[in-house]
Amino acid sequence: ERTLSIIKPDAVKSGYVKSINSMIKNSGLKIIKKKNLTLTKEQAAQFYSIHSDKPFFNELCIFMTSGPIIVQILEGENAVDLYRKIMGATNPSDAEENTIRKEFATSIQENAVHGSDSKENAIKEINFFFKE
Ligand code: CMP
């Protein structure tokens, strides 16, 4: 099974990429593809279009385009759920100990990482970044 991971601008700026990827590898997930890029406003709005009616949508797009991100495909048994487990809750104040967001996120918006929330969305999100 595969899932899409994004290391967001806050975590890249703070130099947490290596530590986050160590946590990913320690969980048993393999990083099989990686891209370093900066999203355009259009790409951010398209990627997060499911949230376009939310009050935080505009700010989210501004944040996600504020600097480079690392986009990765993770592979392993139960990858979607396993990655969501090691990321921790969206809001870092609700995240359990030893999760990526507990360790590295600063707010509900600047929450260090993104992970696909279902197998169907994992396929869509992987195709969004890795069409080839
Ligand atoms: P992510 O898992 O990438 O999915 C949607 C993102 O929107 C989420 O992580 C946060 O970065 C952001 N987000 C979710 N809820 C809120 C909120 N209440 N306020 C601000 N940003 C949010």
Side-chain angles (χ1 to χ4, degrees):
E1 188 173 303
R2 291 176 176 180
T3 191
L4 185 89
S5 158
I6 300 178
I7 304 180
K8 298 187 180 183
D10 58 323
V12 175
K13 270 190 199 117
S14 303
Y16 297 147
V17 174
K18 271 196 176 168
S19 308
I20 290 172
N21 278 342
S22 294
M23 288 175 80
I24 289 172
K25 288 175 202 158
N26 287 341
S27 77
L29 289 167
K30 270 193 194 147
I31 299 165
I32 61 163
K33 272 196 183 170
K34 179 184 299 209
K35 255 186 195 174
N36 189 332
L37 58 108
T38 302
L39 288 172
T40 64
K41 289 268 149 63
E42 292 71 28
Q43 285 174 316
Q46 199 188 337
F47 184 79
Y48 279 120
S49 60
I50 193 166
H51 297 302
S52 60
D53 57 349
K54 307 266 169 68
F56 58 79
F57 179 69
N58 247 340
E59 257 193 83
L60 175 62
C61 292
I62 292 168
F63 163 58
M64 287 302 294
T65 56
S66 66
I69 59 170
I70 312 286
V71 183
Q72 301 179 126
I73 302 176
L74 311 183
E75 187 178 82
E77 210 171 299
N78 213 17
V80 171
D81 288 345
L82 177 55
Y83 185 50
R84 289 186 72 75
K85 192 171 168 221
I86 67 163
M87 282 196 299
T90 304
N91 189 343
S93 59
D94 299 330
E96 284 180 37
E97 293 297 326
N98 301 314
T99 59
I100 294 170
R101 284 169 171 160
K102 180 74 178 184
E103 304 248 327
F104 303 114
T106 44
S107 70
I108 192 165
Q109 175 173 266
E110 305 205 358
N111 62 356
V113 284
H114 167 82
S116 312
D117 64 2
S118 66
K119 285 190 214 180
E120 294 71 30
N121 281 336
I123 291 164
K124 283 186 199 158
E125 293 181 359
I126 287 168
N127 283 334
F128 185 89
F129 287 107
F130 298 92
K131 269 212 186 82
E132 70 280 13

